[in-house]
């Protein structure tokens, strides 16, 4: 059972456009939702994260939108640049004694110049 | 402040050999997580450790895999009698006290089993 579903699998955007990646989750116990960026041959890098008590969080060109009732959250990359071309992963975590992240399968973003 | 360090970065083993992967967390971080990534897949949780304790190993295969985080030194993920299906990228992440879920990842170890 896939607990975090991510779409699309791949995305092509023109330079300057908006990239949108969506994730949906099932478990209402999740209380932390980060996004990671991964370049080929590198480890995932934490981009931005949100908790369910807010509906939106913005850091520079990156924005997370969170819809608690729909159990969905999305990453928006404004003014997309070729250097943003990477694989993006959403994840979710429960609190308590755990904290391990459950990842989506990833979205490969390609920004065309 | 150095990030999470992992070594080796690449490891080649023949079937039946042992693989030892090392992870040094960021300074001040007390939580260590190991994840495995298969090609074109997301990361899958394996084990969560604090110093001298395994907190959650629900993602670890029942046989051949073990992990430790001793009082001194790096965390070690050990795979005995490797098989071709163990070929993957293994990532370690660490997080600071009180913020388990805020995890910073190392560069990974790419294991290839011939």
């Amino acid at each position: 059972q896939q607990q975090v579903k991510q779409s699309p699998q791949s995305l092509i955007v023109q330079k300057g456009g908006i990239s949108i990646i969506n994730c949906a989750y099932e478990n209402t116990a999740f209380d932390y939702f980060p996004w990671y960026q991964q370049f080929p041959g590198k480890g995932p890098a934490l981009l931005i994260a949100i908790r369910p008590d807010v509906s939106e969080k913005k850091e520079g060109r990156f924005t997370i939108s969170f819809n608690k009732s729909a159990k969905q959250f999305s990453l928006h990359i404004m003014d997309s640049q070729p250097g943003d071309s990477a694989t993006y992963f959403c994840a979710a975590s429960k609190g308590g004694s755990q904290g391990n992240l459950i990842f989506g399968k990833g979205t490969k973003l390609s920004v065309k110049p | 402040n150095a990030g999470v360090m992992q070594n080796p970065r690449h490891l080649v083993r023949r079937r039946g050999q042992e693989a030892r992967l090392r992870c040094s967390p960021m300074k001040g971080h007390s939580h260590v997580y190991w994840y495995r990534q298969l090609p074109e897949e997301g990361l899958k949780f394996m084990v969560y450790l604090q110093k001298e304790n395994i907190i959650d190993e629900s993602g670890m295969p029942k046989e051949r895999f073990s992990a430790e985080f001793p009082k001194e030194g790096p965390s070690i993920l050990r795979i005995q009698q490797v098989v071709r299906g163990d070929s993957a990228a293994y990532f370690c992440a660490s997080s600071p006290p009180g913020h388990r879920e805020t995890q910073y990842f190392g560069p990974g170890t790419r294991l290839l089993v011939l």
Side-chain angles (χ1 to χ4, degrees):
Chain A
Q1 182 188 4
Q2 192 181 344
Q3 295 194 57
V4 179
K5 292 185 179 179
Q6 183 172 347
S7 62
Q9 203 171 358
S10 62
L11 181 63
I12 299 174
V13 173
Q14 290 296 125
K15 179 182 174 182
I18 303 173
S19 304
I20 302 174
I21 305 170
N22 302 297
C23 281
Y25 64 96
E26 294 292 326
N27 193 334
T28 54
F30 290 146
D31 64 356
Y32 177 77
F33 302 88
W35 285 89
Y36 283 84
Q37 178 190 58
Q38 186 179 30
F39 293 104
K42 305 291 186 186
L46 179 61
L47 261 182
I48 185 172
I50 198 168
R51 294 195 183 274
D53 53 345
V54 296
S55 59
E56 186 174 282
K57 183 175 181 180
K58 184 176 180 179
E59 288 184 4
R61 295 185 294 111
F62 300 93
T63 300
I64 300 180
S65 297
F66 187 83
N67 185 330
K68 189 174 180 179
S69 60
K71 293 188 284 186
Q72 294 175 346
F73 58 109
S74 59
L75 176 70
H76 296 233
I77 306 174
M78 313 300 285
D79 187 27
S80 299
Q81 299 297 313
D84 296 330
S85 298
T87 299
Y88 292 81
F89 293 96
C90 64
S93 175
K94 290 182 275 188
S97 62
Q98 297 179 323
N100 53 289
L101 296 170
I102 297 166
F103 282 84
K105 290 195 171 185
T107 296
K108 191 170 184 178
L109 171 66
S110 179
V111 181
K112 299 297 185 187
Chain B
N1 187 11
V4 177
M5 298 174 68
Q6 289 187 250
N7 67 79
R9 295 291 306 277
H10 299 273
L11 183 61
V12 179
R13 286 287 178 265
R14 296 193 180 279
R15 280 178 296 170
Q17 292 184 319
E18 179 180 287
R20 281 192 180 222
L21 288 60
R22 294 175 192 78
C23 168
S24 295
M26 288 177 71
K27 189 176 180 181
H29 285 194
S30 54
H31 307 282
V32 166
Y33 296 80
W34 286 93
Y35 292 82
R36 177 164 62 177
Q37 185 177 35
L38 294 170
E40 308 300 320
E41 291 281 325
L43 287 83
K44 296 277 196 273
F45 166 74
M46 299 181 75
V47 62
Y48 163 35
L49 311 103
Q50 294 181 20
K51 284 284 186 182
E52 301 184 280
N53 283 304
I54 297 174
I55 307 301
D56 180 0
E57 56 182 346
S58 58
M60 285 275 269
K62 296 283 183 259
E63 297 176 350
R64 302 187 298 109
F65 285 72
S66 62
E68 61 177 9
F69 189 15
K71 188 176 180 182
E72 301 291 336
S75 175
I76 307 279
L77 178 68
R78 184 182 176 205
I79 312 172
Q80 295 179 291
Q81 299 175 312
V82 295
V83 301
R84 287 212 174 116
D86 296 333
S87 295
Y90 291 83
F91 291 96
C92 166
S94 72
S95 60
H99 297 278
R100 272 185 293 266
E101 67 280 358
T102 308
Q103 296 173 26
Y104 298 90
F105 282 79
T109 294
R110 275 122 189 111
L111 172 65
L112 176 62
V113 180
L114 301 177

